[in-house]
Each structure stands twice: as C-alpha cells, then as structure tokens.
Amino acid sequence: MTTEIDRPLVISAPEPRTLDLIFTPQARVALEARYRIIEADPDAIAALGDDVLSQARFIIGQPPLDHNTLERMPQLRAILNVESNLINNMPYDVLFARGIHVVTTGQVFAEPVAELGLAMALNIARGIVDADVDFRHGRELWGGDGNAKARLLSGSNVGIIGFGDLGKALNRVLSGFRTKIKVYDPWMPASILIDNGVQPATLEDVLATSDFLFVVAAVTSENEGFLGAQAFAAMRPGAAFILLSRANVVDFEALMAAVESGHIVAASDVYPQEPLSLDHPVRSLNGFLRSAHRAGALDSAFKKMGDMVLEDMDLMDRNLPPMRCKRAERETVSRMRSKPVSVN
Amino acid sequence: MTTEIDRPLVISAPEPRTLDLIFTPQARVALEARYRIIEADPDAIAALGDDVLSQARFIIGQPPLDHNTLERMPQLRAILNVESNLINNMPYDVLFARGIHVVTTGQVFAEPVAELGLAMALNIARGIVDADVDFRHGRELWGGDGNAKARLLSGSNVGIIGFGDLGKALNRVLSGFRTKIKVYDPWMPASILIDNGVQPATLEDVLATSDFLFVVAAVTSENEGFLGAQAFAAMRPGAAFILLSRANVVDFEALMAAVESGHIVAASDVYPQEPLSLDHPVRSLNGFLRSAHRAGALDSAFKKMGDMVLEDMDLMDRNLPPMRCKRAERETVSRMRSKPVSVN
Amino acid sequence: MTTEIDRPLVISAPEPRTLDLIFTPQARVALEARYRIIEADPDAIAALGDDVLSQARFIIGQPPLDHNTLERMPQLRAILNVESNLINNMPYDVLFARGIHVVTTGQVFAEPVAELGLAMALNIARGIVDADVDFRHGRELWGGDGNAKARLLSGSNVGIIGFGDLGKALNRVLSGFRTKIKVYDPWMPASILIDNGVQPATLEDVLATSDFLFVVAAVTSENEGFLGAQAFAAMRPGAAFILLSRANVVDFEALMAAVESGHIVAASDVYPQEPLSLDHPVRSLNGFLRSAHRAGALDSAFKKMGDMVLEDMDLMDRNLPPMRCKRAERETVSRMRSKPVSVN
Amino acid sequence: MTTEIDRPLVISAPEPRTLDLIFTPQARVALEARYRIIEADPDAIAALGDDVLSQARFIIGQPPLDHNTLERMPQLRAILNVESNLINNMPYDVLFARGIHVVTTGQVFAEPVAELGLAMALNIARGIVDADVDFRHGRELWGGDGNAKARLLSGSNVGIIGFGDLGKALNRVLSGFRTKIKVYDPWMPASILIDNGVQPATLEDVLATSDFLFVVAAVTSENEGFLGAQAFAAMRPGAAFILLSRANVVDFEALMAAVESGHIVAASDVYPQEPLSLDHPVRSLNGFLRSAHRAGALDSAFKKMGDMVLEDMDLMDRNLPPMRCKRAERETVSRMRSKPVSVN
C-alpha cells in the first residue's frame, strides 16, 4: 500500500478553476490515492513551509512564484496550468533552465469550440435562428421560398486562420464535408499543414477565396487587431466570418461595419468587453450570430483537464516528459496576449 | 453536326419543377444540343401525335400515362421523375416488363438534408437559437453559466432510422465526430450497414441508446406513425429527436407531448400539415427547433437533378443502364407513401 | 415452428461451387432452417418434377434453363449465380420481363483482389521478392544500397481502369496513402467517381500520368485487348502496370515486351491461358511479378457468398428487392465476356 | 539583397549523411541563400576559430562537442541531428539548460517504413514471394489451390508495439483496412492513443490477440530483448510478427525458433548483426520474410530531412520553436539505445 510518505506532493492552487470542476469524482479519487495534495492560497505559496516546498513535485494552477520560492522547491518538475492562458507571474527563464515543465490544458476546449464553430457555419448557411424565430411568430417561409440565401458547406472553400489545437479540431469536424481548406498560420511549417490535409496559404489568399472563414488564432504581441476593414473588404461577398478565439485579433468595429453593409455575414463567440454593455450595437445587428463566450466552457471539457493532468503527472513520475498537455515554450511564452479568464 | 433527325426525342413534363429550375444554363444548352425537347402538358401526353410518341426515348417528369399511350411509345427507355416521389399514375408493371426504367432524383436532397440535420443536432446540443435570442435582448449568460445543458456531439451515441441516401449522407457528415452510430433499417441487409461503418440495430436498441436520433425513413404502407408515445418514452432523458423525412412516420402529437414533458428535445423539418396553421402549438413549444420544410429545397440541389438526368440519359443512349438516379423497384413502388410536393 | 410446407423451396445447383464451399456451417444451418433445399444436377433442371419446379422460389447456381422450364416455375423470384460470371445459358429477356432477379456474388472477391493488388504495387515499389531471394542466397544489398529503384506509393499518382466493386475496394485500401487517383471507366458517370473521391479521366490521361496503374475492368464485347503496345508506350518510364481482372483486356505479348524493354514494370494475376504452359516466357521475365489467379479465391471470400445469398433471399422473402448481390442488367448481360471458372 | 554578413552562420557536419544526400538541388540553393555554411570536420569542431564558433546559430549534424566548445558558441540555437539516433557525445544537460534545441529528423523514415511494414504483412498473408518463385519454376498452384494459407488483412486484429512516428504512420496506411488496432506503448498516455483511433492495451493483450503484430518500438535502456520466447509463445498460432525498428528489442534466436516450429510467421528488416554472416540460419528459414535494413533508407526520405531542417531553422530564425523535427528530451535522451548507422 502507498503510505503517506511515498506519495509525491502536489500543491493545488487551480484558481479560477477548482479541483471539483476539473476532476470527475473517480479522477479525484485517483489523484488523492497517488499524490499528497496540499491545497494552497495561490497568493501565498511563499508562505508554505519548507516541509511542503522542499518536497513538492507538481503545482496544479499558476500561482505567482518568485525566484526565492522556486529555489526552495528543488524537486519541482512541472507546473500544470489549468487556467490555460499563461500569465507573466513567474520567472519562466528559471523554470526552463531547470527543466521544470510548464504545461497548459487548453486543448480540452478544442473539440467544443470546433463543434460550435461548425454549428455557426451551418447556422449562417441555412439561416436557422431566423427561421425558427419566424416560425414562432407565424411568418415562416416554406420550402424553397425560405431558402433564397441558403447554401451548402459541402464542397465549399473554407479558410482557417491559426492551426493550433482549435484549427486541427475544426479540420476534423469538417472532414465529412469535402471542403477545400486553406490555412494561414505563420507559426506553422507548410509541410505540417500539408500532412494534415490542408493547403498552406497567405492571409490574402485565405481572405479572398473562403466561403467560410474561421478565426482560431491566439492573440500574440504581433497580431492584435490584424483583421480590420481592409481584410473584411477583401473577403468574398456573402462570405461568413466566424470568430472563435479572441476578440483582440479583429477590429470589432470594422467587423460590424462589414456585416452592417451586407458585404459579409458573421458569427462570434468573443467580444471586446465581456460581459458586453446592454446597448452594444452588435446585439441588434442583422447578419451576425451571437454567442456569449460559450464555445469552450463545457463541463465535459473541464473534466478532461483533470484527466490530462493525471496522465502527464504519471509520465513525469516515470521520468518521462509530459505529452498530453501543451508545453509553454521559451520562444513564445512572452508573446502570448490572451487575457486570463475570471469566470470558468 | 447533329441534325434535327439524329437527336433522340425527349418529352418534357417536369411539373411541379421546371426545366429552368433543374438545369443550369450550361446544362440546358447541353440538353438541347443532344436531344430534341418536346415540352408537353403533363395531363395531355395522350394528346401528343404519334410522330412524337413513336419516337420518344425519354420522359422528364411523371405525367399520367395509360396502357394505350405507352403502347404508342415503342422506343421509350426511361421516365426520369424529377419530382422524386412516385405517384401511382402509370402502369408500373408494364413499364417494368418492358424494361423501361423509372428513375427518381431525390438523392440530390441528401446532402442538404444531412447538413441541416447535423446543424439541428449541434443547435440542440448547444442551445444556439435561444442563446442568440437572449443576447439580442440583453439577457445572455456568459461562459460556463450559459452551458448548463450544453453537450458535445463528438463521442456521443447516434441513432439513424433509415439508411437510404439521407442516412448515408448523415453518416458522412458525422464522420469527423467519432460518434458510435447505430442504424435501424429493416429494408437493408446488416452487412451493407457494417460495410458503411455503422452498427445494425433493432428499433428498440436505437431508441434506448441514442443521444441524438435522426429519422430519415421514407413513409411506406407499413410504417405510418410507427414512432409514437411508447417510442419517445423509451428514449434517454434529454436525448434529441431530429425528424427530417416525413411527418407521417411519427405520431406528431405524441412527439410534442414528449418534448413538452421535458423528457426529450426535438427538431423537425416536416409537419402533419404544410403550411401549418398559425395557432399550431408546436410554434411555441420550448425544446423544439422548427424548420419549415427547408431541408432539401436548395437551388443547388435542384440544379443537380438536371446533371443527374443528363448523365443517366447519356448512359442509356449508349445502351447502358442508368446509374446516377435511383430506380423504382417492382417490389417497393406500390409501398411508398410520401405525398408529392406541390411547391418546390 | 416452421414446417416442411412453410419453407420456401430452393433449387441448389451451385457448380463449380458447392454448398460447403460457400456456406459456413452456421450459415448452412440457417439456410436449411429457412428453406427446403433440393439439390439438383445443373444439367437436368428440366427433369425435376412439377412438384419441385412449381414451388421453387430461388435457384442457387446458374444451371441451363429453357423457356419451357421457366414456364413451369411460376414462383421463381431469383437466380443467385454464385459462380459470378454470367453464361448465356438461359433466356434472360424472359427473366427480366417476369421480374425474376438474376444476381451475382462476385463482390466477395473485391476485398481480396484489392489487397493483392496493393501488395503487388508495394512489392514492385520496394523490390521485395528479389530482395528476399537475394537474401536467401547471401547477395543482399543493405540499406540505401538496396534501394536504388525503391519508391513510395504514398503521394504518387495512381490510375484505376474500371470502377466496379474491385475499383472501389482498391480506392478504399489506398485511402491511407494520400495518392491522387484518376479513374477511367466509360460505363460510370463522372459524378459518381467524384462522389467516391477519385478524378474521372480519359484512358489517355490515366496511361500517361500514373505511377501505378491498376486494371480491374471486366472483359466486355467492346474492350478485348484494348490495352496494347500503344498503351504501354504511353505510360511513364518505370511505371507499374498491375493486372487484376482478366488477361483478355490486354495484349499480353505487348505487355511482356514493354516489361522486357525496361520501359515499365508489371504484375499480373491472370494469363491468356490458365494454367500456363511451362515454357511460357513470362515465367522468367524480370520486372514482372507473377500470381497464379490467386487474387480472389480465398476461403473467406467464398463463405461470404453464402452470407450474401442468405441476406438477399431474406429481402425477397419479405417482398423487397435484393440489395446485397449485384443484379444482371438487361443492357449489359449480353456484353460480358469473362469466361466462367472451372476450378474455384 | 542578403549580404554575407547578414546570413546566419551554420556549421555543417552531417556525417554519415552529406548535404547532397539530404538536400535536393533546390533546397540546397535555398540553404545557401539564407545561411553562411561552414563545412567542418565533425571531429574537429573545437578547432574552428572563434570567428566561426562565436557566430554559429545552427549545427547540422551531431559532431562531438564539449563544454568548452559550447561556451565559445553563445549564439547557438539548435543542433539539427540528421543521423537521427542520439549519441552521447555532447553535454545534453548544458544544451537543455541553455535552451539550445537538439532535434532529430528520423520522422522522414516513418512513411517508407510503414509502407514496407504493410507490404510485409500482405506478403505474409498471401504468400507472394513463394508464389512468384514457384511460378518461375513451373510449380505454381492455381486459384484456391494456391490459397490454402491465404488470409485477409481487412477486418483482422492488428497489434502495434510503439506508437511514435512509425506507429502513427502504420496506423495511417492501415486506415483503409477496417482493422481493429491495439497499441502497446508505455511511454504514451492512453488518451492520445484513443485520439488516434487505436485501442491502448497491455503487452500481454497485444501479443495474445493480434493476427498481425508490428514492432516499431525504439530500443531503450529498459526494453532490450523484451520480446522473447515467452512472448512468441503467447501469440496466436499462425500470427505474423513483423519487426521494423531494431533487432535489439527481440531475442532473435527465440524469434527464429518460434517461426521454425511453425507457431508463427515473421518478417524482419533488422538483424542482430548487420551485415549478417553468410551462414546465418535466418537466410534459409521458411516462414520468414527478409529485408536487409532497407525499410527507411529511400532517397526521397533523405531529401525530406533537408526540407525539415530548412523549415525548423526558418522558425527559429523568427524566434519560434522548432516544430517539424523531433526534439530530444531531457528525460529520455540518455535512455535511447539505438546504435547510429554507419551507412545511409
């Protein structure tokens, strides 16, 4: 039997998540059986005693950490960031130099976001929301009369901007639609895109040729607001612009103007302010499908975080590198700009 | 050059379609170049002269035909029914005995219906319509707060009732979702289902185990109303019932009651009466997504009919059997019960 | 319980197959439980009494039948030809006029033939036979030294001539190789090829652009010897020609000459005479991979015939059309030229 | 135009490869245009002047490096090891601490190895080598007579031991065969296997249930000889054992004995000694298909190395992490035991 002393020590500070949010009851049992869990105030890790710090193998969460505290943690192998945006609140250079892995679990959102993205595309293609609302009010149009603007996703030209976990998940849910998919991702070698069965393309090409354009790029120090009036003007008339990652990558005013003018149609899960003011014009904008940052935050996604954490801690317990979560990288950790979430 | 006399003669009576609806301009040019087209009143085929009837190779449409008229058409090779429901207005036994093919083009609707069906499933799974309506009115819930009932299609149990063209198209658009698909289709050998990567199942099994249940069965003399209160009661709590073929296969009152009770959620493209009375209770039923028989009637689908007709006429011109359209079968022609459409 | 009198009557004359060859023990039990089996000499069907003929619902096999015998069989619904080449030994026009289905089970060979065809392509690409023979004799070349002519199938240009069951099965086993597949099949509408994810092409195009060319076309009255010296000369230098259907579609001498000259490499499962004379030059031809008509004749394939027969008889017992086997067609039955097999 | 001074400096020491082996002429031009290439004797890197070492951004190859030399290379960002086995000839701890990437290009071999592995499986399943050899000598068996031991890969149970690049490539080429694939890989989280559509399994399970078993595991300090007499005895009678990675993971004598006894059949691309002595008993062993370490070493694979190197250097030039090649990992670099190759 595993005794108290054998179990590796884990500091738990998963705010804004909670262990109950990210672990199923069974996974929680497995966690407790295999590890000694010390629940800690994320803002007071330094206040923990050396008996804890000196033995801690893993941290679940991303509490602020300073050099001194890290020096008191000689056994630390990984910080498992379950919020999944990386805040600049710890000396990453020290962590990388020491070989302490910093991993994030944002991949859990890929599948739910991709499903909502596909749903948005199909909704726009078939006018489902307005058709149902019209039906409620007795003004529905029947058969072909209601399909004046309807079109198929199958066989269409699809663009994807950003080919991380979200882009790959979109590619997968699109696999039954025989679409031609072009991808713009300057951080990704062309050959990896080709291996994934999509065509590498410039931003200009993706904008100009897509019938459905999905934006799943992370915000970085280089791409804030890179999709503006000029980009929307370059799109095909009637094309659908579907925003799933972060509002900061677009000029939101310009996006609304492009929809208002009738040039394109759009859907978005993200907004410049969240929550959004009650009088924001996007609320009444025709040709715009709204979702209130609901794409990823499914309970099943949060529970998958716990599973990923357990799998990677198991690998590291066996002196293997983590493979399930995504590792923060020296080169890019300081270039990420997504704001952390305050609610789950 | 093809002279007037060389071109095979085609009687055109495509009502309620029109040649302009089902042929693109280019296809229309090809049609006229290859065939001599005689446009005829479908109710007066017998009134056509023997110069026409004796030479007619194809009929586009399904006009009423009697024994006598057919005897006057010794060269007739096929009736290309572009409405696609088979009406009992011609002596099919004579046609079959003579080897005159009766073919239908309903397959064109498979892809648009499948896309709408998938869209309905994703809409139900993520509450997209209500979320957008709430957002318009400033009462949206953000993030996880808005996802209390949200769930994934990926990895879920899917049931499909009927595995004709619609069922196969659904299977295809579902291919990126890693669902486990069970199919009930008593007209289809189990091994064909297995070859298509789905699991053959009884109706009871499909009802009891599906998270999402798609009904795409044609109405026959044997299955009218076969999905009633008992069937809905057998479904999983919260499961989604998505009706895409014909309202007659379900007891619509029982379906509404099952949704009203909160036991299941539903979507439908078809109704007992179409158009539906303005005070029909389904118009205000929560948990029910409505579409006014818009699933198939896309312009691109109608245009595909013309392409199919041209491809099969070309095969028959070369003394090959038609392969693109679906052939009416001696065994089943009299068992079909779908009412023909009056509007496109 | 099913009594003697209830069970439909089946005349069994499956030569050159036997019931034991085509039915597993379990399937044989199912067959006997559901049907009354009368084993008959195929050359003496007319000699059967009217008690048998008048009640026969199905014939398993393709015994010679004349008008008179067929008239004595008013209940006959289908002839299930398990040899699978159609011999001209019965009045097909009468059968078609009466709606008696003539079905064949050749589809069972598609999967084994496709697997052997792929194996041949990979063998040619990697020189596997010669490498193993060299290794046996201690003259093998190691690593890259042994790969001077080696190449990948992945990403190559593939041609398929004929897109019936064999062509479709080849397309399926090739699905993991990211090949670009062009198909020449004049009996198949282009749109069906496109639906199957392959590109319709002319014979000239397929010959000129393929790195690997698979011939799976049936022999018809129109295509005997259609692949001759000119066709082989049009192929890419070093391309692989893989013959899987029938030797009669090629000019075999010209094929050998093209291989002998070093212009192409080849593999074949079929030969102008079978068995082949001991001094036939193909036996010692370098660049030619030989298989002695073994592509389809696997025990598992024969057993699948019985399963198909049972499934289709079950459909017909329920007044549904057969779907599992392939139906003979009025238009093409007389154009097929494959010689029947004498051994299994 | 890029001047001499602008181009980053690359030390080239790719032995046993050469730049000509791993770069196509076009890629070589791109390399020279973007980088200043210093070709160096791998055994004399320390002898290079500080003008070179102080500016070197990349090393192509894996020359021996000591602490002192590395200190003289402050700009070094990556060592691109194109041999692809990691030799213990440099202080990896220093490299990791400084964030200098060590990457390998072994992934180029995945596709050719997978194709040969599939070819071996199909060869074993259909007895292709012996059939061709028999045909040459006029003793071939025709049709079913030659298929006594023939079987299908389609629908069979497949086992894969090791799920790195090779395992994934095998999974891909098997995708058209409807096999049930179980994978044993103790270094890989179960959920990643499931995401790849394969079933995680224990070694015992994979051994006991596979009809075709592919071994693509790298040799580590823990798994040398882990497949021995007991493992082979646990396999299904007649199952196929296909060895593609390194001979050291098996007890080769025991493998030969298991084949000799008739319990299993086998194929191998690797051997305990390479080249193998002329009197080695595997040369005449029936039921064993031999290949002389030819699985990966295709010219097209070597050329892909250069492409990968260029893509990753481009990412690093833009301060992005390498993504195309595989990174050596702190945890595992010292556990790898594959001997480097001496010939390409």
Side-chain angles (χ1 to χ4, degrees), chain D residues 157-179:
Chain D
N157 291 316
V158 167
I160 300 178
I161 295 180
F163 206 68
D165 291 326
L166 296 187
K168 290 190 186 81
L170 262 174
N171 188 35
R172 196 168 56 238
V173 296
L174 286 165
S175 61
F177 288 85
R178 297 175 187 147
T179 53

Side-chain angles (χ1 to χ4, degrees), chain D residues 16-328:
Chain D
R17 321 291 184 206
T18 63
L19 292 188
D20 280 345
L21 179 72
I22 65 174
F23 287 93
T24 62
Q26 303 95 302
R28 185 73 183 271
V29 167
L31 176 75
E32 309 262 4
R34 278 147 55 178
Y35 303 99
R36 193 151 41 111
I37 309 297
I38 306 293
E39 305 210 27
D41 175 352
D43 293 321
I45 301 298
L48 292 169
D50 279 334
D51 54 327
V52 168
L53 294 182
S54 70
Q55 292 187 43
R57 184 179 290 178
F58 301 118
I59 296 174
I60 299 179
Q62 70 170 330
L65 295 171
D66 59 25
H67 280 81
N68 188 41
T69 310
L70 280 175
E71 264 175 33
R72 292 166 60 204
M73 305 179 77
Q75 314 238 29
L76 187 63
R77 292 204 198 148
I79 295 168
L80 301 120
N81 175 346
V82 292
E83 195 278 328
S84 290
N85 297 295
L86 292 159
I87 313 176
N88 192 11
N89 66 352
M90 53 184 82
Y92 287 109
D93 54 342
V94 172
L95 295 167
F96 290 126
R98 281 180 50 189
I100 297 167
H101 296 290
V102 179
V103 300
T104 58
T105 55
Q107 194 197 30
V108 302
F109 300 126
E111 205 160 59
V113 171
E115 289 201 6
L116 189 76
L118 177 64
M120 285 171 156
L122 292 170
N123 265 281
I124 288 175
R126 305 299 283 275
I128 291 173
V129 174
D130 287 336
D132 186 50
V133 170
D134 285 349
F135 208 122
R136 296 177 191 189
H137 294 97
R139 55 175 190 249
E140 77 278 6
L141 297 174
W142 289 82
D145 294 342
N147 281 332
K149 293 184 181 173
R151 49 184 161 137
L152 290 179
L153 177 57
S154 293
S156 69
N157 291 316
V158 167
I160 300 178
I161 295 180
F163 206 68
D165 291 326
L166 296 187
K168 290 190 186 81
L170 262 174
N171 188 35
R172 196 168 56 238
V173 296
L174 286 165
S175 61
F177 288 85
R178 297 175 187 147
T179 53
K180 290 167 284 297
I181 302 181
K182 290 183 182 174
V183 171
Y184 169 66
D185 187 333
W187 288 20
M188 185 72 74
S191 67
I192 292 184
L193 297 179
I194 292 167
D195 283 354
N196 278 277
V198 298
Q199 186 181 331
T202 62
L203 178 59
E204 289 67 35
D205 189 17
V206 165
L207 287 167
T209 62
S210 298
D211 299 310
F212 296 88
L213 180 56
F214 297 91
V215 179
V216 286
V219 193
T220 70
S221 47
E222 292 128 62
N223 72 3
E224 290 189 60
F226 79 111
L227 294 166
Q230 206 172 359
F232 303 126
M235 290 180 68
R236 290 185 171 180
F241 182 90
I242 296 157
L243 177 58
L244 295 165
S245 51
R246 286 287 183 271
N248 287 12
V249 299
V250 311
D251 175 340
F252 210 83
E253 295 295 318
L255 172 59
M256 287 191 293
V259 172
E260 174 106 52
S261 76
H263 179 54
I264 60 172
V265 286
S268 184
D269 189 53
V270 288
Y271 301 87
Q273 298 83 35
E274 298 181 6
L276 204 62
S277 64
L278 289 176
D279 59 353
H280 195 282
V282 81
R283 294 187 181 275
S284 57
L285 182 57
N286 283 329
F288 201 107
L289 177 64
R290 290 148 290 250
S291 171
H293 212 139
R294 300 169 63 229
L298 268 69
D299 186 63
S300 59
F302 290 123
K303 293 297 181 285
K304 207 170 157 185
M305 284 185 175
D307 296 338
M308 290 172 70
V309 161
L310 280 173
E311 287 193 314
D312 268 350
M313 295 199 306
D314 175 62
L315 289 172
M316 289 183 277
D317 287 341
R318 296 188 284 137
N319 292 315
L320 293 169
M323 298 188 63
R324 180 73 273 194
C325 302
K326 184 172 184 170
R327 299 194 214 167

Side-chain angles (χ1 to χ4, degrees), chain B residues 93 95-101 107 168 172 186-192 195 304 308 311-312 315-316 318-324 327 329-332 335, chain C residues 93 95-101 107 168 172 186-192 195 304 308 311-312 315-316 318-324 327 329-332 335:
Chain B
D93 53 342
L95 295 167
F96 289 127
R98 281 181 50 189
I100 297 167
H101 296 290
Q107 195 198 30
K168 290 190 187 80
R172 196 168 55 237
W187 288 20
M188 185 72 72
S191 67
I192 293 184
D195 282 354
K304 208 171 156 184
M308 290 172 70
E311 287 193 313
D312 268 350
L315 288 172
M316 289 183 277
R318 295 187 284 136
N319 291 315
L320 294 169
M323 296 187 63
R324 180 73 272 195
R327 299 193 214 169
E329 301 275 5
R330 270 177 166 105
E331 289 88 346
T332 50
R335 295 159 85 170
Chain C
D93 54 341
L95 295 167
F96 290 127
R98 280 180 51 187
I100 297 168
H101 296 290
Q107 195 198 30
K168 291 191 186 80
R172 195 168 57 238
W187 289 20
M188 184 72 73
S191 67
I192 292 184
D195 283 355
K304 208 170 156 186
M308 289 172 71
E311 287 193 313
D312 268 351
L315 289 172
M316 290 184 275
R318 294 187 285 136
N319 292 316
L320 293 169
M323 297 187 62
R324 181 72 270 195
R327 296 191 216 171
E329 301 274 5
R330 270 180 167 101
E331 289 88 346
T332 49
R335 295 159 85 172

Side-chain angles (χ1 to χ4, degrees), chain B residues 174-344:
Chain B
L174 285 165
S175 59
F177 287 86
R178 299 176 186 147
T179 53
K180 288 166 285 296
I181 303 181
K182 289 182 181 176
V183 170
Y184 170 66
D185 187 332
W187 288 20
M188 185 72 72
S191 67
I192 293 184
L193 298 177
I194 292 167
D195 282 354
N196 278 276
V198 298
Q199 186 182 332
T202 62
L203 178 59
E204 289 66 36
D205 188 18
V206 165
L207 287 167
T209 61
S210 298
D211 299 309
F212 296 88
L213 180 56
F214 297 92
V215 180
V216 286
V219 193
T220 69
S221 47
E222 291 129 60
N223 72 3
E224 290 188 60
F226 80 109
L227 294 166
Q230 207 172 358
F232 303 126
M235 289 179 70
R236 290 185 171 181
F241 182 91
I242 296 157
L243 178 58
L244 294 165
S245 50
R246 286 287 184 270
N248 286 13
V249 298
V250 310
D251 174 342
F252 210 84
E253 294 296 318
L255 173 59
M256 287 192 294
V259 172
E260 174 106 52
S261 75
H263 179 56
I264 59 172
V265 286
S268 185
D269 189 53
V270 289
Y271 301 87
Q273 299 84 35
E274 296 180 8
L276 204 62
S277 65
L278 289 176
D279 60 353
H280 195 285
V282 82
R283 294 186 181 276
S284 57
L285 183 56
N286 283 329
F288 201 107
L289 178 65
R290 290 148 290 252
S291 171
H293 211 139
R294 300 168 63 230
L298 268 69
D299 186 62
S300 59
F302 290 124
K303 293 298 182 284
K304 208 171 156 184
M305 284 186 175
D307 295 339
M308 290 172 70
V309 161
L310 279 173
E311 287 193 313
D312 268 350
M313 295 200 306
D314 175 62
L315 288 172
M316 289 183 277
D317 288 342
R318 295 187 284 136
N319 291 315
L320 294 169
M323 296 187 63
R324 180 73 272 195
C325 303
K326 185 172 185 169
R327 299 193 214 169
E329 301 275 5
R330 270 177 166 105
E331 289 88 346
T332 50
V333 68
S334 65
R335 295 159 85 170
M336 293 299 180
R337 286 289 180 277
S338 283
K339 285 175 289 186
V341 300
S342 53
V343 294
N344 288 307

Side-chain angles (χ1 to χ4, degrees), chain A residues 101 191 311 324 331 335, chain D residues 101 191 311 319 324 331:
Chain A
H101 296 290
S191 68
E311 286 192 313
R324 180 74 271 194
E331 289 88 347
R335 295 158 84 171
Chain D
H101 296 290
S191 67
E311 287 193 314
N319 292 315
R324 180 73 273 194
E331 290 87 345

